[in-house]
Amino acid sequence: MRQEELKQFIADIEPLNLEVAKQMETYLDGLTKPVGSLGKLEQLMIQLAGVQGTMDIKTKPCATVIMCSDNGVCDQGVSSCPQEVTATVTYNFTRGITGVNKLSQFAGSDIHIVDIGVKADFKHPLIHNRKIAYGTQDMSIQSAMTYEQAMEAIEVGIEETNKLIENGYEIFGTGEMGIGNTTTSAAITAALLKLDVEEVTGKGSGAKDQVFNSKINAIKMAFQVNQPDPNDPIDVLAKVGGYDLAGLVGVYLAAAHGKKVVVIDGFIAAAAALVAYKLCPTVKDYMVASHLSKEVGMQKLLMEIGLEPHLNLEMRLGEGSGCPILFNLIEMAKYTLLGMGTFEDAGVDKSNYMHIWK
């Protein structure tokens, strides 16, 4: 995908339908409950109506797109896990035994596994081979990828999401697998928000102090070597990001382009969401933040985008694990709010209560 094509794709993304969103809000205000009393459940229905442009909203089927890739910065000792774990967990997604597998099975949602840059080869029908390279370069020594590779990875995310849209999927989630990707996510966050590295870097999957210090140092070296431009999100993505993150940027853009809600998982998915938001602020209309990751940079990311998490479960698994939980919440909101009776059904004079319930 050339830059001109991406710019046109972004230009074609429309804001949500405010008229239909208002119609849903008015309908919810007429239900037999205090106005606004179901809080974020009501906001989810209003957003879905605005996104889909109809009161007859659809919440199924749902799919979490999991971008899998390795990161060259692992050579700097930024993770307590060996890099081979990326390939192992990517394969385990096909076995139905991981956290996101079980959560998705419970929620009745699907996963879509994409190998966009794992340092291994797979021959499995459930792993979609869109490999750009066998992992990125070590960003502390050189640019993690070229600008063209970052664009290619974004295109992969767009194409994979468009396929799912064509197959009838209504709501999307964002997942990833890549040892070292809390390092790349912290680097993107610090660069785009112009914050000190220490403010947004956490311990990921449980790094000990020595590993954590290596993580901080690797990001600082990457900034010194590459000088990422905070005014160019793709430049930042290419220099200090990863293929998994770039692929997720494409997922956000394609979901918005296709008028579909897209759920943000944790810190890594949120870093990709920030890049997508910087490229196209309208994408925010289509985003839903699932939970507040325990990673220290998460809250700053969501504040910059202007989103609030729906849950705080002290999770830090990644994989897209927060998405099926949010899919369940969306389904519950629809079942409840579109199944409740109105004031008329309940035999209640609305005018007698509005001054109290507001």
mmCIF file of all heavy atoms in Angstrom, residues 6 10 13 154 174 188-189 192-193 230-234 237 245-246 248-254 256 262 264 268-288 300-307:
data_model
loop_
_atom_site.group_PDB
_atom_site.id
_atom_site.type_symbol
_atom_site.label_atom_id
_atom_site.label_comp_id
_atom_site.label_asym_id
_atom_site.label_seq_id
_atom_site.Cartn_x
_atom_site.Cartn_y
_atom_site.Cartn_z
ATOM 1 N N LEU A 6 -3.136 4.858 1.401
ATOM 2 C CA LEU A 6 -3.515 4.850 2.812
ATOM 3 C C LEU A 6 -4.224 6.150 3.178
ATOM 4 O O LEU A 6 -5.233 6.141 3.900
ATOM 5 C CB LEU A 6 -2.288 4.648 3.698
ATOM 6 C CG LEU A 6 -2.559 4.610 5.210
ATOM 7 C CD1 LEU A 6 -3.509 3.470 5.567
ATOM 8 C CD2 LEU A 6 -1.259 4.483 5.994
ATOM 9 N N ILE A 10 -7.993 6.382 4.672
ATOM 10 C CA ILE A 10 -8.301 7.098 5.907
ATOM 11 C C ILE A 10 -9.327 8.200 5.658
ATOM 12 O O ILE A 10 -10.254 8.403 6.450
ATOM 13 C CB ILE A 10 -7.004 7.673 6.516
ATOM 14 C CG1 ILE A 10 -6.160 6.539 7.107
ATOM 15 C CG2 ILE A 10 -7.308 8.717 7.584
ATOM 16 C CD1 ILE A 10 -4.775 6.960 7.550
ATOM 17 N N ILE A 13 -12.979 7.216 5.858
ATOM 18 C CA ILE A 13 -13.573 6.822 7.141
ATOM 19 C C ILE A 13 -14.509 7.924 7.621
ATOM 20 O O ILE A 13 -14.113 9.074 7.756
ATOM 21 C CB ILE A 13 -12.474 6.549 8.187
ATOM 22 C CG1 ILE A 13 -11.639 5.329 7.770
ATOM 23 C CG2 ILE A 13 -13.080 6.328 9.577
ATOM 24 C CD1 ILE A 13 -10.436 5.061 8.654
ATOM 25 N N ILE A 154 0.597 -2.582 8.065
ATOM 26 C CA ILE A 154 -0.711 -1.937 8.216
ATOM 27 C C ILE A 154 -1.679 -2.491 7.170
ATOM 28 O O ILE A 154 -2.849 -2.785 7.465
ATOM 29 C CB ILE A 154 -0.584 -0.407 8.087
ATOM 30 C CG1 ILE A 154 0.172 0.173 9.286
ATOM 31 C CG2 ILE A 154 -1.972 0.246 7.970
ATOM 32 C CD1 ILE A 154 0.515 1.651 9.150
ATOM 33 N N THR A 174 -8.862 -6.846 19.342
ATOM 34 C CA THR A 174 -7.470 -6.705 18.937
ATOM 35 C C THR A 174 -6.565 -7.461 19.898
ATOM 36 O O THR A 174 -6.487 -7.150 21.087
ATOM 37 C CB THR A 174 -7.070 -5.221 18.907
ATOM 38 O OG1 THR A 174 -7.508 -4.586 20.127
ATOM 39 C CG2 THR A 174 -7.720 -4.509 17.734
ATOM 40 N N ILE A 188 6.661 3.337 21.667
ATOM 41 C CA ILE A 188 5.686 4.085 20.859
ATOM 42 C C ILE A 188 4.943 5.090 21.728
ATOM 43 O O ILE A 188 4.740 6.250 21.343
ATOM 44 C CB ILE A 188 4.700 3.107 20.185
ATOM 45 C CG1 ILE A 188 5.388 2.410 19.011
ATOM 46 C CG2 ILE A 188 3.435 3.826 19.714
ATOM 47 C CD1 ILE A 188 4.561 1.330 18.365
ATOM 48 N N THR A 189 4.545 4.656 22.914
ATOM 49 C CA THR A 189 3.801 5.533 23.818
ATOM 50 C C THR A 189 4.639 6.740 24.229
ATOM 51 O O THR A 189 4.176 7.888 24.170
ATOM 52 C CB THR A 189 3.354 4.753 25.070
ATOM 53 O OG1 THR A 189 2.593 3.615 24.667
ATOM 54 C CG2 THR A 189 2.507 5.636 25.983
ATOM 55 N N LEU A 192 5.170 9.095 21.030
ATOM 56 C CA LEU A 192 4.006 9.838 20.550
ATOM 57 C C LEU A 192 3.435 10.790 21.604
ATOM 58 O O LEU A 192 2.872 11.830 21.258
ATOM 59 C CB LEU A 192 2.919 8.872 20.077
ATOM 60 C CG LEU A 192 3.215 8.120 18.777
ATOM 61 C CD1 LEU A 192 2.085 7.164 18.437
ATOM 62 C CD2 LEU A 192 3.439 9.100 17.616
ATOM 63 N N LEU A 193 3.580 10.447 22.877
ATOM 64 C CA LEU A 193 3.068 11.322 23.944
ATOM 65 C C LEU A 193 4.147 12.258 24.487
ATOM 66 O O LEU A 193 3.862 13.078 25.365
ATOM 67 C CB LEU A 193 2.482 10.485 25.084
ATOM 68 C CG LEU A 193 1.317 9.561 24.725
ATOM 69 C CD1 LEU A 193 0.715 8.942 25.985
ATOM 70 C CD2 LEU A 193 0.243 10.310 23.949
ATOM 71 N N PRO A 230 7.675 12.308 16.364
ATOM 72 C CA PRO A 230 6.339 12.195 16.960
ATOM 73 C C PRO A 230 5.239 12.791 16.093
ATOM 74 O O PRO A 230 4.051 12.527 16.321
ATOM 75 C CB PRO A 230 6.476 12.966 18.281
ATOM 76 C CG PRO A 230 7.627 13.885 18.081
ATOM 77 C CD PRO A 230 8.575 13.166 17.161
ATOM 78 N N ASN A 231 5.616 13.575 15.100
ATOM 79 C CA ASN A 231 4.622 14.146 14.190
ATOM 80 C C ASN A 231 4.279 13.211 13.036
ATOM 81 O O ASN A 231 3.403 13.533 12.224
ATOM 82 C CB ASN A 231 5.133 15.484 13.641
ATOM 83 C CG ASN A 231 5.340 16.510 14.743
ATOM 84 O OD1 ASN A 231 4.475 16.719 15.589
ATOM 85 N ND2 ASN A 231 6.514 17.135 14.766
ATOM 86 N N ASP A 232 4.961 12.085 12.966
ATOM 87 C CA ASP A 232 4.707 11.087 11.920
ATOM 88 C C ASP A 232 4.519 9.734 12.594
ATOM 89 O O ASP A 232 5.494 9.034 12.881
ATOM 90 C CB ASP A 232 5.871 11.050 10.934
ATOM 91 C CG ASP A 232 5.620 10.086 9.777
ATOM 92 O OD1 ASP A 232 4.661 9.304 9.843
ATOM 93 O OD2 ASP A 232 6.408 10.128 8.806
ATOM 94 N N PRO A 233 3.268 9.339 12.872
ATOM 95 C CA PRO A 233 3.035 8.084 13.603
ATOM 96 C C PRO A 233 3.632 6.860 12.933
ATOM 97 O O PRO A 233 4.078 5.934 13.621
ATOM 98 C CB PRO A 233 1.502 7.995 13.639
ATOM 99 C CG PRO A 233 1.021 9.395 13.467
ATOM 100 C CD PRO A 233 2.017 10.056 12.573
ATOM 101 N N ILE A 234 3.675 6.848 11.613
ATOM 102 C CA ILE A 234 4.232 5.677 10.927
ATOM 103 C C ILE A 234 5.749 5.654 11.062
ATOM 104 O O ILE A 234 6.356 4.575 11.168
ATOM 105 C CB ILE A 234 3.797 5.643 9.449
ATOM 106 C CG1 ILE A 234 2.267 5.505 9.371
ATOM 107 C CG2 ILE A 234 4.462 4.473 8.715
ATOM 108 C CD1 ILE A 234 1.709 5.518 7.971
ATOM 109 N N LEU A 237 6.250 4.162 14.432
ATOM 110 C CA LEU A 237 5.922 2.740 14.345
ATOM 111 C C LEU A 237 7.046 1.954 13.691
ATOM 112 O O LEU A 237 7.440 0.881 14.168
ATOM 113 C CB LEU A 237 4.628 2.583 13.540
ATOM 114 C CG LEU A 237 4.023 1.190 13.376
ATOM 115 C CD1 LEU A 237 3.605 0.625 14.723
ATOM 116 C CD2 LEU A 237 2.821 1.266 12.434
ATOM 117 N N LEU A 245 2.143 -4.740 16.140
ATOM 118 C CA LEU A 245 1.503 -3.448 16.398
ATOM 119 C C LEU A 245 1.025 -2.794 15.098
ATOM 120 O O LEU A 245 -0.091 -2.262 15.029
ATOM 121 C CB LEU A 245 2.478 -2.521 17.118
ATOM 122 C CG LEU A 245 2.766 -2.881 18.577
ATOM 123 C CD1 LEU A 245 4.051 -2.219 19.047
ATOM 124 C CD2 LEU A 245 1.613 -2.476 19.460
ATOM 125 N N ALA A 246 1.859 -2.846 14.077
ATOM 126 C CA ALA A 246 1.488 -2.246 12.795
ATOM 127 C C ALA A 246 0.279 -2.955 12.195
ATOM 128 O O ALA A 246 -0.622 -2.313 11.637
ATOM 129 C CB ALA A 246 2.667 -2.298 11.835
ATOM 130 N N LEU A 248 -2.091 -4.386 13.868
ATOM 131 C CA LEU A 248 -3.267 -3.961 14.627
ATOM 132 C C LEU A 248 -3.720 -2.558 14.241
ATOM 133 O O LEU A 248 -4.921 -2.263 14.272
ATOM 134 C CB LEU A 248 -2.978 -4.030 16.129
ATOM 135 C CG LEU A 248 -2.854 -5.431 16.729
ATOM 136 C CD1 LEU A 248 -2.603 -5.353 18.226
ATOM 137 C CD2 LEU A 248 -4.107 -6.261 16.451
ATOM 138 N N VAL A 249 -2.779 -1.695 13.863
ATOM 139 C CA VAL A 249 -3.166 -0.369 13.362
ATOM 140 C C VAL A 249 -4.106 -0.551 12.171
ATOM 141 O O VAL A 249 -5.145 0.114 12.058
ATOM 142 C CB VAL A 249 -1.928 0.453 12.957
ATOM 143 C CG1 VAL A 249 -2.351 1.742 12.239
ATOM 144 C CG2 VAL A 249 -1.086 0.790 14.178
ATOM 145 N N GLY A 250 -3.762 -1.484 11.293
ATOM 146 C CA GLY A 250 -4.614 -1.766 10.148
ATOM 147 C C GLY A 250 -5.982 -2.302 10.537
ATOM 148 O O GLY A 250 -6.988 -1.992 9.899
ATOM 149 N N VAL A 251 -6.032 -3.096 11.609
ATOM 150 C CA VAL A 251 -7.316 -3.620 12.092
ATOM 151 C C VAL A 251 -8.227 -2.473 12.521
ATOM 152 O O VAL A 251 -9.416 -2.421 12.149
ATOM 153 C CB VAL A 251 -7.115 -4.608 13.257
ATOM 154 C CG1 VAL A 251 -8.470 -5.043 13.840
ATOM 155 C CG2 VAL A 251 -6.326 -5.826 12.806
ATOM 156 N N TYR A 252 -7.684 -1.531 13.287
ATOM 157 C CA TYR A 252 -8.488 -0.387 13.733
ATOM 158 C C TYR A 252 -8.994 0.430 12.550
ATOM 159 O O TYR A 252 -10.171 0.815 12.497
ATOM 160 C CB TYR A 252 -7.661 0.517 14.655
ATOM 161 C CG TYR A 252 -7.359 -0.076 16.005
ATOM 162 C CD1 TYR A 252 -6.044 -0.364 16.380
ATOM 163 C CD2 TYR A 252 -8.368 -0.354 16.921
ATOM 164 C CE1 TYR A 252 -5.752 -0.906 17.613
ATOM 165 C CE2 TYR A 252 -8.081 -0.901 18.163
ATOM 166 C CZ TYR A 252 -6.773 -1.176 18.505
ATOM 167 O OH TYR A 252 -6.490 -1.723 19.733
ATOM 168 N N LEU A 253 -8.119 0.701 11.599
ATOM 169 C CA LEU A 253 -8.503 1.519 10.446
ATOM 170 C C LEU A 253 -9.563 0.815 9.602
ATOM 171 O O LEU A 253 -10.544 1.443 9.177
ATOM 172 C CB LEU A 253 -7.276 1.835 9.593
ATOM 173 C CG LEU A 253 -6.200 2.719 10.242
ATOM 174 C CD1 LEU A 253 -4.990 2.836 9.317
ATOM 175 C CD2 LEU A 253 -6.749 4.099 10.578
ATOM 176 N N ALA A 254 -9.386 -0.484 9.372
ATOM 177 C CA ALA A 254 -10.338 -1.227 8.548
ATOM 178 C C ALA A 254 -11.692 -1.366 9.229
ATOM 179 O O ALA A 254 -12.738 -1.272 8.575
ATOM 180 C CB ALA A 254 -9.776 -2.604 8.212
ATOM 181 N N ALA A 256 -13.049 0.732 11.362
ATOM 182 C CA ALA A 256 -13.713 2.032 11.258
ATOM 183 C C ALA A 256 -14.205 2.278 9.827
ATOM 184 O O ALA A 256 -15.317 2.771 9.615
ATOM 185 C CB ALA A 256 -12.760 3.140 11.686
ATOM 186 N N VAL A 262 -14.628 -1.763 17.244
ATOM 187 C CA VAL A 262 -13.403 -2.518 17.479
ATOM 188 C C VAL A 262 -12.966 -2.323 18.928
ATOM 189 O O VAL A 262 -12.866 -1.194 19.410
ATOM 190 C CB VAL A 262 -12.292 -2.119 16.480
ATOM 191 C CG1 VAL A 262 -11.978 -0.634 16.545
ATOM 192 C CG2 VAL A 262 -11.030 -2.947 16.685
ATOM 193 N N ILE A 264 -10.459 -2.569 22.129
ATOM 194 C CA ILE A 264 -9.047 -2.520 22.512
ATOM 195 C C ILE A 264 -8.837 -3.464 23.689
ATOM 196 O O ILE A 264 -9.585 -3.417 24.664
ATOM 197 C CB ILE A 264 -8.646 -1.095 22.928
ATOM 198 C CG1 ILE A 264 -8.901 -0.102 21.795
ATOM 199 C CG2 ILE A 264 -7.193 -1.040 23.371
ATOM 200 C CD1 ILE A 264 -8.792 1.357 22.233
ATOM 201 N N ILE A 268 -0.627 -3.175 24.816
ATOM 202 C CA ILE A 268 -0.058 -3.305 23.478
ATOM 203 C C ILE A 268 -1.087 -2.932 22.422
ATOM 204 O O ILE A 268 -0.809 -2.157 21.491
ATOM 205 C CB ILE A 268 0.484 -4.735 23.265
ATOM 206 C CG1 ILE A 268 1.625 -5.005 24.256
ATOM 207 C CG2 ILE A 268 0.970 -4.940 21.838
ATOM 208 C CD1 ILE A 268 1.738 -6.424 24.716
ATOM 209 N N ALA A 269 -2.287 -3.451 22.573
ATOM 210 C CA ALA A 269 -3.358 -3.090 21.642
ATOM 211 C C ALA A 269 -3.671 -1.603 21.714
ATOM 212 O O ALA A 269 -4.014 -0.972 20.709
ATOM 213 C CB ALA A 269 -4.611 -3.915 21.950
ATOM 214 N N ALA A 270 -3.536 -1.027 22.911
ATOM 215 C CA ALA A 270 -3.798 0.410 23.070
ATOM 216 C C ALA A 270 -2.714 1.254 22.414
ATOM 217 O O ALA A 270 -2.994 2.342 21.894
ATOM 218 C CB ALA A 270 -3.917 0.759 24.557
ATOM 219 N N ALA A 271 -1.466 0.773 22.431
ATOM 220 C CA ALA A 271 -0.394 1.499 21.743
ATOM 221 C C ALA A 271 -0.669 1.537 20.246
ATOM 222 O O ALA A 271 -0.475 2.573 19.582
ATOM 223 C CB ALA A 271 0.953 0.842 22.026
ATOM 224 N N ALA A 272 -1.140 0.420 19.694
ATOM 225 C CA ALA A 272 -1.524 0.393 18.280
ATOM 226 C C ALA A 272 -2.720 1.296 18.038
ATOM 227 O O ALA A 272 -2.801 1.983 17.003
ATOM 228 C CB ALA A 272 -1.838 -1.038 17.854
ATOM 229 N N ALA A 273 -3.658 1.333 18.988
ATOM 230 C CA ALA A 273 -4.819 2.211 18.865
ATOM 231 C C ALA A 273 -4.395 3.671 18.830
ATOM 232 O O ALA A 273 -4.977 4.493 18.098
ATOM 233 C CB ALA A 273 -5.788 1.971 20.021
ATOM 234 N N LEU A 274 -3.371 4.012 19.615
ATOM 235 C CA LEU A 274 -2.872 5.387 19.622
ATOM 236 C C LEU A 274 -2.319 5.774 18.254
ATOM 237 O O LEU A 274 -2.576 6.878 17.763
ATOM 238 C CB LEU A 274 -1.795 5.551 20.690
ATOM 239 C CG LEU A 274 -1.153 6.943 20.783
ATOM 240 C CD1 LEU A 274 -2.176 7.990 21.195
ATOM 241 C CD2 LEU A 274 0.032 6.933 21.752
ATOM 242 N N VAL A 275 -1.569 4.867 17.633
ATOM 243 C CA VAL A 275 -1.040 5.152 16.293
ATOM 244 C C VAL A 275 -2.189 5.366 15.314
ATOM 245 O O VAL A 275 -2.180 6.325 14.521
ATOM 246 C CB VAL A 275 -0.126 4.007 15.806
ATOM 247 C CG1 VAL A 275 0.333 4.256 14.369
ATOM 248 C CG2 VAL A 275 1.086 3.858 16.724
ATOM 249 N N ALA A 276 -3.196 4.482 15.357
ATOM 250 C CA ALA A 276 -4.347 4.621 14.461
ATOM 251 C C ALA A 276 -5.077 5.939 14.707
ATOM 252 O O ALA A 276 -5.489 6.626 13.762
ATOM 253 C CB ALA A 276 -5.301 3.443 14.655
ATOM 254 N N TYR A 277 -5.218 6.307 15.976
ATOM 255 C CA TYR A 277 -5.887 7.554 16.340
ATOM 256 C C TYR A 277 -5.109 8.765 15.836
ATOM 257 O O TYR A 277 -5.697 9.735 15.347
ATOM 258 C CB TYR A 277 -6.051 7.612 17.856
ATOM 259 C CG TYR A 277 -6.538 8.941 18.386
ATOM 260 C CD1 TYR A 277 -7.854 9.340 18.204
ATOM 261 C CD2 TYR A 277 -5.674 9.783 19.078
ATOM 262 C CE1 TYR A 277 -8.305 10.563 18.695
ATOM 263 C CE2 TYR A 277 -6.105 11.001 19.564
ATOM 264 C CZ TYR A 277 -7.424 11.388 19.376
ATOM 265 O OH TYR A 277 -7.861 12.599 19.861
ATOM 266 N N LYS A 278 -3.786 8.718 15.944
ATOM 267 C CA LYS A 278 -2.965 9.826 15.456
ATOM 268 C C LYS A 278 -3.053 9.948 13.937
ATOM 269 O O LYS A 278 -2.983 11.052 13.387
ATOM 270 C CB LYS A 278 -1.506 9.633 15.878
ATOM 271 C CG LYS A 278 -1.251 9.750 17.376
ATOM 272 C CD LYS A 278 -1.429 11.177 17.884
ATOM 273 C CE LYS A 278 -1.045 11.307 19.344
ATOM 274 N NZ LYS A 278 -1.212 12.692 19.859
ATOM 275 N N LEU A 279 -3.219 8.802 13.264
ATOM 276 C CA LEU A 279 -3.384 8.825 11.814
ATOM 277 C C LEU A 279 -4.766 9.326 11.416
ATOM 278 O O LEU A 279 -4.915 10.003 10.393
ATOM 279 C CB LEU A 279 -3.168 7.423 11.234
ATOM 280 C CG LEU A 279 -1.735 6.896 11.217
ATOM 281 C CD1 LEU A 279 -1.732 5.414 10.852
ATOM 282 C CD2 LEU A 279 -0.886 7.689 10.230
ATOM 283 N N CYS A 280 -5.767 8.990 12.219
ATOM 284 C CA CYS A 280 -7.160 9.323 11.891
ATOM 285 C C CYS A 280 -7.976 9.433 13.177
ATOM 286 O O CYS A 280 -8.484 8.432 13.674
ATOM 287 C CB CYS A 280 -7.749 8.244 10.985
ATOM 288 S SG CYS A 280 -9.476 8.523 10.535
ATOM 289 N N PRO A 281 -8.123 10.641 13.723
ATOM 290 C CA PRO A 281 -8.857 10.808 14.981
ATOM 291 C C PRO A 281 -10.287 10.260 14.946
ATOM 292 O O PRO A 281 -10.823 9.860 15.986
ATOM 293 C CB PRO A 281 -8.846 12.326 15.188
ATOM 294 C CG PRO A 281 -7.616 12.789 14.466
ATOM 295 C CD PRO A 281 -7.497 11.903 13.271
ATOM 296 N N THR A 282 -10.895 10.198 13.774
ATOM 297 C CA THR A 282 -12.270 9.693 13.657
ATOM 298 C C THR A 282 -12.373 8.237 14.089
ATOM 299 O O THR A 282 -13.453 7.775 14.490
ATOM 300 C CB THR A 282 -12.764 9.844 12.203
ATOM 301 O OG1 THR A 282 -12.629 11.209 11.810
ATOM 302 C CG2 THR A 282 -14.227 9.442 12.065
ATOM 303 N N VAL A 283 -11.273 7.499 14.031
ATOM 304 C CA VAL A 283 -11.282 6.083 14.418
ATOM 305 C C VAL A 283 -11.756 5.919 15.864
ATOM 306 O O VAL A 283 -12.337 4.885 16.224
ATOM 307 C CB VAL A 283 -9.879 5.472 14.214
ATOM 308 C CG1 VAL A 283 -9.794 4.071 14.789
ATOM 309 C CG2 VAL A 283 -9.535 5.430 12.733
ATOM 310 N N LYS A 284 -11.547 6.924 16.680
ATOM 311 C CA LYS A 284 -11.991 6.869 18.084
ATOM 312 C C LYS A 284 -13.478 6.547 18.191
ATOM 313 O O LYS A 284 -13.911 5.863 19.129
ATOM 314 C CB LYS A 284 -11.702 8.208 18.765
ATOM 315 C CG LYS A 284 -12.271 8.315 20.174
ATOM 316 C CD LYS A 284 -12.224 9.738 20.693
ATOM 317 C CE LYS A 284 -13.001 9.895 21.977
ATOM 318 N NZ LYS A 284 -13.033 11.289 22.462
ATOM 319 N N ASP A 285 -14.285 7.026 17.242
ATOM 320 C CA ASP A 285 -15.733 6.785 17.269
ATOM 321 C C ASP A 285 -16.063 5.299 17.284
ATOM 322 O O ASP A 285 -17.139 4.901 17.744
ATOM 323 C CB ASP A 285 -16.406 7.414 16.051
ATOM 324 C CG ASP A 285 -16.419 8.938 16.094
ATOM 325 O OD1 ASP A 285 -16.024 9.510 17.126
ATOM 326 O OD2 ASP A 285 -16.826 9.552 15.087
ATOM 327 N N TYR A 286 -15.160 4.494 16.770
ATOM 328 C CA TYR A 286 -15.408 3.062 16.598
ATOM 329 C C TYR A 286 -14.726 2.211 17.669
ATOM 330 O O TYR A 286 -14.930 1.008 17.728
ATOM 331 C CB TYR A 286 -14.927 2.631 15.204
ATOM 332 C CG TYR A 286 -15.674 3.337 14.099
ATOM 333 C CD1 TYR A 286 -15.280 4.602 13.663
ATOM 334 C CD2 TYR A 286 -16.802 2.766 13.526
ATOM 335 C CE1 TYR A 286 -15.985 5.276 12.676
ATOM 336 C CE2 TYR A 286 -17.515 3.431 12.534
ATOM 337 C CZ TYR A 286 -17.102 4.686 12.120
ATOM 338 O OH TYR A 286 -17.814 5.346 11.153
ATOM 339 N N MET A 287 -13.920 2.839 18.515
ATOM 340 C CA MET A 287 -13.145 2.118 19.515
ATOM 341 C C MET A 287 -13.890 1.977 20.835
ATOM 342 O O MET A 287 -14.592 2.894 21.258
ATOM 343 C CB MET A 287 -11.823 2.835 19.786
ATOM 344 C CG MET A 287 -10.831 2.827 18.637
ATOM 345 S SD MET A 287 -9.365 3.828 19.076
ATOM 346 C CE MET A 287 -8.283 3.461 17.687
ATOM 347 N N VAL A 288 -13.691 0.842 21.483
ATOM 348 C CA VAL A 288 -14.181 0.601 22.842
ATOM 349 C C VAL A 288 -13.005 0.046 23.649
ATOM 350 O O VAL A 288 -12.360 -0.917 23.223
ATOM 351 C CB VAL A 288 -15.345 -0.403 22.859
ATOM 352 C CG1 VAL A 288 -15.764 -0.705 24.300
ATOM 353 C CG2 VAL A 288 -16.533 0.118 22.061
ATOM 354 N N LYS A 300 -2.431 6.501 30.483
ATOM 355 C CA LYS A 300 -2.003 7.661 29.687
ATOM 356 C C LYS A 300 -2.405 7.500 28.229
ATOM 357 O O LYS A 300 -2.802 8.461 27.567
ATOM 358 C CB LYS A 300 -0.493 7.861 29.823
ATOM 359 C CG LYS A 300 -0.047 8.324 31.210
ATOM 360 C CD LYS A 300 1.455 8.520 31.275
ATOM 361 C CE LYS A 300 1.881 9.136 32.612
ATOM 362 N NZ LYS A 300 1.587 8.266 33.758
ATOM 363 N N LEU A 301 -2.309 6.280 27.719
ATOM 364 C CA LEU A 301 -2.730 6.009 26.351
ATOM 365 C C LEU A 301 -4.207 6.302 26.157
ATOM 366 O O LEU A 301 -4.605 7.002 25.220
ATOM 367 C CB LEU A 301 -2.461 4.546 25.996
ATOM 368 C CG LEU A 301 -1.040 4.141 25.620
ATOM 369 C CD1 LEU A 301 -0.941 2.625 25.512
ATOM 370 C CD2 LEU A 301 -0.629 4.788 24.311
ATOM 371 N N LEU A 302 -5.025 5.758 27.039
ATOM 372 C CA LEU A 302 -6.466 5.932 26.895
ATOM 373 C C LEU A 302 -6.884 7.389 27.093
ATOM 374 O O LEU A 302 -7.788 7.882 26.408
ATOM 375 C CB LEU A 302 -7.210 5.027 27.883
ATOM 376 C CG LEU A 302 -7.067 3.520 27.638
ATOM 377 C CD1 LEU A 302 -7.878 2.736 28.669
ATOM 378 C CD2 LEU A 302 -7.502 3.139 26.233
ATOM 379 N N MET A 303 -6.230 8.074 28.007
ATOM 380 C CA MET A 303 -6.532 9.497 28.211
ATOM 381 C C MET A 303 -6.228 10.307 26.956
ATOM 382 O O MET A 303 -6.983 11.211 26.589
ATOM 383 C CB MET A 303 -5.739 10.042 29.399
ATOM 384 C CG MET A 303 -6.257 9.602 30.759
ATOM 385 S SD MET A 303 -5.233 10.224 32.119
ATOM 386 C CE MET A 303 -5.456 11.997 31.915
ATOM 387 N N GLU A 304 -5.131 9.978 26.279
ATOM 388 C CA GLU A 304 -4.766 10.700 25.056
ATOM 389 C C GLU A 304 -5.818 10.483 23.966
ATOM 390 O O GLU A 304 -6.186 11.418 23.247
ATOM 391 C CB GLU A 304 -3.394 10.239 24.563
ATOM 392 C CG GLU A 304 -2.944 10.876 23.262
ATOM 393 C CD GLU A 304 -2.601 12.354 23.395
ATOM 394 O OE1 GLU A 304 -2.452 12.854 24.543
ATOM 395 O OE2 GLU A 304 -2.470 13.013 22.344
ATOM 396 N N ILE A 305 -6.292 9.247 23.844
ATOM 397 C CA ILE A 305 -7.317 8.956 22.839
ATOM 398 C C ILE A 305 -8.663 9.529 23.258
ATOM 399 O O ILE A 305 -9.474 9.931 22.416
ATOM 400 C CB ILE A 305 -7.424 7.436 22.603
ATOM 401 C CG1 ILE A 305 -6.085 6.878 22.121
ATOM 402 C CG2 ILE A 305 -8.510 7.114 21.575
ATOM 403 C CD1 ILE A 305 -6.018 5.355 22.058
ATOM 404 N N GLY A 306 -8.897 9.592 24.550
ATOM 405 C CA GLY A 306 -10.178 10.093 25.058
ATOM 406 C C GLY A 306 -11.162 8.984 25.354
ATOM 407 O O GLY A 306 -12.372 9.147 25.174
ATOM 408 N N LEU A 307 -10.646 7.854 25.819
ATOM 409 C CA LEU A 307 -11.489 6.700 26.127
ATOM 410 C C LEU A 307 -11.359 6.317 27.593
ATOM 411 O O LEU A 307 -10.333 6.583 28.224
ATOM 412 C CB LEU A 307 -11.082 5.499 25.267
ATOM 413 C CG LEU A 307 -11.243 5.636 23.760
ATOM 414 C CD1 LEU A 307 -10.638 4.428 23.065
ATOM 415 C CD2 LEU A 307 -12.712 5.787 23.377
#
